Amino acid sequence: MSDTPFGFGLPPEEPDDGDEGKKKESPGEGQRGGQGAGGPANPFGFGGFPGAGGPGGGDNPFAAMFGSMNPNDLGAAFQQLGQMLSYEGGPVNWDMAKDIARQTVSQGTADGTKDASVGPAERSAVEEAVRLADLWLDDATSLPSGSGTAVAWSRAEWVEATLPVWKELVDPVAERVGLAMGDVLPEEMQAMAGPLIGMMRSMGGAMFGQQIGQAVGVLAGEVVGSTDIGLPLGPSGKAALLPVNIEAFGKDLGVDKNEVRLYLALREAAHQRLFSHVPWLRSHLFGAVEGYARGIKVDTAKLEDVVGQLDPQNPEQLQEALQQGMFQPEDTPAQKAALARLETALALVEGWVDAVVHAAAKPRLTSADALRETLRRRRATGGPAEQTFATLIGLELRPRRLRDASRLWASLTDARGVDGRDGLWEHPDMLPTASDLDDPDGFVHHEQLDFSELDKMLGEAAGSGSAKPDLTKDEGEEGKDTDGK
């Protein structure tokens, strides 16, 4: 589990800090890298505002906004500050999140790649790749196609299309933390402290919005489709790939770009089949997130102490209090149980996709093994998808679970065939558990024994008249027979 649930500690990397979790400092920027916009002294990561990072932009978020700006930047900063303080919506300022995500995307990635509109040739290539992928998957799974349409997105389009799902994922966590802001004051004091509580909630909504927007913007520069984190982030039935990111992904692999595109299309199309034809799966995953949110326990003692000492006439004191990380959620059994369920479910999803795609690609693509291992290592090294998700809701998908799940699905295919394997998705109670992932072969063997014994019992009952129970007898007649009368 992440040490910084919901990003109250270190925020995600900014594009100019590099990706894959590597911070890069140029000479003279040591202070910024250590205690700057994303450092421990600034747990809410205000560094994403226009002009941040200049002199004085370290520990003080307002100094970061106004430190060294031209008039245009200063006007933009005041606009964002006004938006932050006047916000009266839900637990996350999603308008701010969207703006910051779009700003982050427009800056380009660390390798200098800029976002661009998708051209007709790229769009056609994606559509053809998804069409061919679906044909290949027909032989590897009993689940029918779930890709009603295939689309090619730019990074900005990915942000626009996925924000509604990010909202569904993040709001339950932010809501629970936001409620704690008002709960720490005695009821008789809450009316008098109304303006202060309102300001704190507005600031909290802006902090969440700023950090989530930055995280989503960074992720948009690296994802290759709509299902990279194992969740359906895009609209249902729409297989989506990002050509500019696929190009960057395959740049140094030494693999033909058409094979790279096709392999990633296989993964996207496989995810779509699963989420389209396992109707309970989406609610199961998102329900685990909500369960985690319900289990959050804010450090109310620390929060009460901070709020009790706040002087509304001293905004700098409020700023310092917010920087102390007074909303650090605590681990609880409910949280751990919800996260365990979510980790296991995500591992089963990713393992199934890995096994099915490998079965479809192995006979047809010469680079299938290399691409499979590349994607597995991308996950194992804490790729951007896992890091972002861990920052937002405190979840890390452990690579060991992914490999174990893939081996389990492959073993089930050998033992029970494609139909028997995919039949386990009919109900969540039929799926392997976390302990089953520790012993995939044991799960397969155990299930085989159970089913064979059941078949034997049913066969004996059907073939023996004496063994067949007489369901026409009532309880009184049963009793007479038992008494021998």
Side-chain angles (χ1 to χ4, degrees):
M1 178 170 171
S2 170
D3 293 332
T4 58
F6 210 86
F8 283 94
L10 298 176
E13 303 291 344
E14 297 182 18
D16 54 3
D17 285 333
D19 45 25
E20 297 295 334
K22 297 178 181 177
K23 276 187 179 270
K24 298 178 181 179
E25 286 186 11
S26 59
E29 289 185 333
Q31 182 179 0
R32 181 185 175 204
Q35 302 290 331
N42 184 4
F44 298 104
F46 276 91
F49 289 96
D59 297 340
N60 188 335
F62 296 99
M65 282 189 276
F66 308 128
S68 60
M69 297 183 180
N70 59 43
N72 291 334
D73 286 340
L74 187 60
F78 273 117
Q79 183 179 4
Q80 291 227 37
L81 179 60
Q83 182 184 11
M84 177 171 64
L85 295 177
S86 63
Y87 177 69
E88 296 180 352
V92 178
N93 189 331
W94 286 103
D95 289 335
M96 177 175 286
K98 178 180 175 180
D99 290 343
I100 291 176
R102 293 294 298 264
Q103 291 170 14
T104 303
V105 164
S106 66
Q107 294 170 6
T109 52
D111 62 1
T113 304
K114 296 288 186 180
D115 193 23
S117 299
V118 179
E122 292 174 319
R123 202 173 302 278
S124 177
V126 166
E127 292 172 353
E128 177 61 22
V130 172
R131 185 194 66 80
L132 185 56
D134 259 332
L135 287 176
W136 291 2
L137 287 172
D138 285 340
D139 296 331
T141 174
S142 62
L143 298 180
S145 173
S147 307
T149 57
V151 294
W153 283 341
S154 66
R155 293 166 179 169
E157 288 172 325
W158 183 89
V159 169
E160 296 279 353
T162 62
L163 270 180
V165 180
W166 287 115
K167 185 176 187 296
E168 188 175 351
L169 282 169
V170 173
D171 269 352
V173 183
E175 179 75 30
R176 183 65 186 88
V177 176
L179 289 175
M181 293 181 171
D183 293 343
V184 296
L185 290 178
E187 186 175 349
E188 61 273 12
M189 292 181 60
Q190 290 187 14
M192 293 185 294
L196 174 59
I197 294 175
M199 180 186 296
M200 291 173 63
R201 286 179 175 168
S202 294
M203 294 282 285
M207 292 173 204
F208 281 116
Q210 191 273 342
Q211 194 166 38
I212 293 164
Q214 190 179 46
V216 171
V218 172
L219 189 57
E222 297 167 343
V223 293
V224 295
S226 70
T227 55
D228 277 26
I229 66 172
L231 290 173
L233 295 179
S236 177
K238 184 174 289 187
L241 296 176
L242 282 71
V244 64
N245 291 350
I246 292 176
E247 182 79 20
F249 172 79
K251 184 177 180 181
D252 299 321
L253 295 181
V255 177
D256 181 84
K257 64 180 182 180
N258 292 320
E259 286 204 12
V260 174
R261 184 194 302 113
L262 186 50
Y263 192 87
L264 296 175
L266 281 166
R267 291 182 54 83
E268 177 73 10
H271 277 103
Q272 293 296 334
R273 289 185 180 225
L274 195 57
F275 286 112
S276 295
H277 300 290
V278 182
W280 56 264
L281 182 56
R282 188 181 191 278
S283 60
H284 179 74
L285 293 170
F286 283 65
V289 177
E290 292 178 4
Y292 167 75
R294 288 193 299 269
I296 286 180
K297 299 295 182 183
V298 180
D299 189 349
T300 54
K302 183 177 182 181
L303 189 56
E304 288 174 357
D305 182 62
V306 171
V307 173
Q309 299 178 26
L310 285 179
D311 179 4
Q313 303 299 321
N314 185 355
E316 291 184 358
Q317 185 183 20
L318 174 61
Q319 170 195 324
E320 292 172 0
L322 292 172
Q323 288 182 338
Q324 292 177 8
M326 58 184 176
F327 307 127
Q328 293 280 355
E330 300 172 346
D331 285 345
T332 66
Q335 279 179 296
K336 291 178 180 179
L339 284 175
R341 288 194 301 271
L342 186 54
E343 285 178 341
T344 301
L346 285 173
L348 290 173
V349 169
E350 289 297 290
W352 182 88
V353 169
D354 181 78
V356 167
V357 167
H358 184 69
K362 176 70 172 175
R364 300 175 173 97
L365 295 179
T366 58
S367 58
D369 289 333
L371 289 170
R372 183 191 200 188
E373 189 59 30
T374 296
L375 287 164
R376 281 182 164 186
R377 289 182 180 180
R378 192 179 188 222
R379 286 293 182 88
T381 55
E386 289 79 8
Q387 291 175 1
T388 299
F389 204 54
T391 301
L392 294 180
I393 69 166
L395 168 74
E396 284 186 353
L397 178 61
R398 291 172 292 174
R400 182 177 63 85
R401 302 285 82 184
L402 167 60
R403 291 181 181 269
D404 288 344
S406 179
R407 188 160 67 92
L408 182 147
W409 290 118
S411 297
L412 282 169
T413 306
D414 294 338
R416 299 166 61 179
V418 169
D419 291 342
R421 177 201 66 197
D422 293 346
L424 291 177
W425 289 106
E426 291 181 3
H427 193 277
D429 290 344
M430 298 175 65
L431 289 179
T433 63
S435 59
D436 292 326
L437 292 181
D438 293 328
D439 183 19
D441 295 332
F443 173 81
V444 174
H445 183 64
H446 177 68
E447 288 294 306
Q448 281 182 307
L449 282 178
D450 282 350
F451 277 99
S452 63
E453 288 297 322
L454 179 61
D455 290 340
K456 181 179 179 181
M457 292 172 61
L458 291 175
E460 290 176 350
S464 173
S466 59
K468 187 176 181 179
D470 186 355
L471 300 179
T472 62
K473 292 182 179 181
D474 58 24
E475 292 183 1
E477 290 175 335
E478 285 278 337
K480 291 180 181 179
D481 291 340
T482 303
D483 294 336
K485 297 179 180 179

